[in-house]
Amino acid sequence: MAQRSQATIILAPALDADKAAALQLTPVSRETEARLDAYVALLLQWQAKTNLVAPSTLANLWTRHIADSLQLLKIAPTARRWLDFGSGGGFPGVVLACAMAEVEGGHVTLVERNAKKAAFLREALRVTGAPGTVILADIGDNVDSFPQDVDCITARAVAPLHQLISFAEPLLRPGAKALFLKGQDVEAELTEATKYWKLSPRLHASLTGGQGWIVELDAIERQDQSAQTPTGTRHDRN
């Protein structure tokens, strides 16, 4: 415990400055800020025993991960029911749940295949009081069991775009949308995805800078009903 506390003390000045920068980009209420503070404190405690985020990003946790997640709310401002594929350390799922605590009927379902990370996600929801449910499962094998009435499907650094689309397609009802956070290879991923899917994507440059992008989709149709999308691998961007 002492080592973790010492690490947190060392990071504190950088985290304070980074938090201020992040909340300028993506302002939240005092209540949501308090929930996010509790979440960050918990993440720093667990980070020592479970690799939740890349250690090199800890000093920029608020901009690199939290603001990166909060910006999705501007693209889907009326969404209340969210489904997050491969939630990992809680981005964007737990961050969105912290914001949804102030929305009537707000709820986030977080899907994670790693048992240790799923345990962290449950504890994060408990500590913050954020409305959410954690499902311990592989995404591809369990899509039919996920909530069918979601307003927005999200994923961050989980799998190639064409695979994420195959997961989302059965759940994307009229009026719903998918928001997938991607990096500098987004154009190549879109090119690959259009081999299998008819898409009209909208690209949003990340508010947090760098070469991040958000792919917004509200309609998905197979190019060939008999075509099968290839299996991809998980991309750990956290």
Side-chain angles (χ1 to χ4, degrees):
M1 179 67 71
Q3 290 182 343
R4 292 199 296 271
S5 298
Q6 183 64 24
T8 301
I9 291 170
I10 293 171
L11 281 171
L15 280 173
D16 288 345
D18 189 56
K19 174 183 173 181
L23 295 184
Q24 281 191 329
L25 290 173
T26 53
V28 296
S29 69
R30 290 182 180 178
E31 292 78 11
T32 292
E33 181 181 345
R35 285 186 285 272
L36 291 172
D37 281 334
Y39 169 47
V40 168
L42 182 71
L43 186 146
L44 292 174
Q45 290 173 11
W46 278 60
Q47 177 72 13
K49 58 182 178 180
T50 302
N51 190 38
L52 298 170
V53 298
S56 62
T57 67
L58 283 174
N60 303 109
L61 184 64
W62 280 87
T63 51
R64 176 67 178 81
H65 299 298
I66 293 177
D68 197 50
S69 302
L70 286 172
Q71 66 181 323
L72 300 182
L73 296 169
K74 293 184 178 181
I75 304 174
T78 62
R80 293 181 301 148
R81 300 177 299 276
W82 299 71
L83 174 63
D84 186 37
F85 290 149
S87 298
F91 308 107
V94 172
V95 176
L96 293 172
C98 286
M100 285 298 103
E102 297 181 42
V103 177
E104 184 177 356
H107 188 274
V108 182
T109 300
L110 302 95
V111 181
E112 175 52 47
R113 67 178 182 177
N114 182 287
K116 289 183 179 180
K117 290 182 178 180
F120 167 75
L121 295 172
R122 292 190 183 97
E123 181 66 1
L125 293 177
R126 186 192 70 79
V127 167
T128 61
T133 302
V134 179
I135 299 177
L136 176 61
D138 281 316
I139 305 168
D141 298 333
N142 296 276
V143 169
D144 291 343
S145 67
F146 298 153
Q148 303 291 309
D149 61 345
V150 296
D151 301 315
C152 194
I153 300 169
T154 60
R156 183 179 188 259
V158 177
L161 185 60
H162 63 76
Q163 189 178 12
L164 291 175
I165 292 170
S166 71
F167 297 154
E169 188 265 342
L171 304 170
L172 204 64
R173 61 183 178 82
K177 67 176 60 184
L179 299 176
F180 299 137
L181 292 106
K182 285 294 176 180
Q184 61 183 352
D185 296 328
V186 64
E187 292 290 351
E189 290 200 46
L190 280 168
T191 298
E192 179 67 17
T194 54
K195 296 178 181 178
Y196 310 99
W197 305 98
K198 296 178 183 179
L199 307 170
S200 297
R202 287 179 289 278
L203 289 181
H204 304 267
S206 175
L207 294 178
T208 59
Q211 301 183 62
W213 294 89
I214 301 162
V215 180
E216 178 184 1
L217 300 168
D218 54 19
I220 300 171
E221 182 182 350
R222 287 187 182 275
Q223 289 283 13
D224 180 350
Q225 293 299 318
S226 64
Q228 297 293 318
T229 55
T231 301
T233 56
R234 184 184 178 103
H235 292 182
D236 193 354
R237 182 166 167 258
N238 288 341

